[in-house]
Amino acid sequence: MSENGHDLHAEFPQHHDVLHTLKVESSAFRDLSERYHATAQEIHRIESGIEAASDQRLEDLKKHRLQMLDQVSAMILEKKAA
């Protein structure tokens, strides 16, 4: 798990196998996963005081992270239905 508790396996612990399959089989998922991880790390750095950002920037990043989680959730559901 990542240092900030927001990696995809922490967010979707019941779907560990599906996440692994998606990571192996889907370049779109790998790209989304990498962008999600980078965003989560940036949020962590801002909240920890390591990196400076406005409150609006932090809020925007959190909204973007949630949008990506919605995309991951949709990909999981699609894979499970296949």
Side-chain angles (χ1 to χ4, degrees):
M1 181 164 32
S2 72
E3 68 281 352
N4 60 21
H6 282 284
D7 73 359
L8 292 176
H9 290 282
E11 296 290 343
F12 300 99
Q14 69 278 23
H15 298 297
H16 176 78
D17 293 340
V18 177
L19 289 171
H20 176 73
T21 300
L22 284 167
K23 191 170 187 178
V24 170
E25 296 178 355
S26 172
S27 62
F29 178 81
R30 285 190 301 273
D31 179 57
L32 178 59
S33 176
E34 289 173 10
R35 287 185 290 122
Y36 175 84
H37 181 70
T39 301
Q41 282 188 325
E42 185 174 358
I43 291 168
H44 176 71
R45 288 191 307 269
I46 293 168
E47 290 180 335
S48 298
I50 297 169
E51 190 173 310
S54 68
D55 289 342
Q56 184 62 50
R57 172 71 178 152
L58 181 58
E59 186 69 25
D60 290 345
L61 285 168
K62 287 181 177 184
K63 287 178 183 177
H64 184 61
R65 181 177 64 190
L66 286 174
Q67 290 171 344
M68 287 188 284
L69 282 175
D70 287 343
Q71 292 173 337
V72 169
S73 180
M75 293 174 102
I76 289 170
L77 291 174
E78 183 179 321
K79 186 65 176 174
K80 287 182 76 168

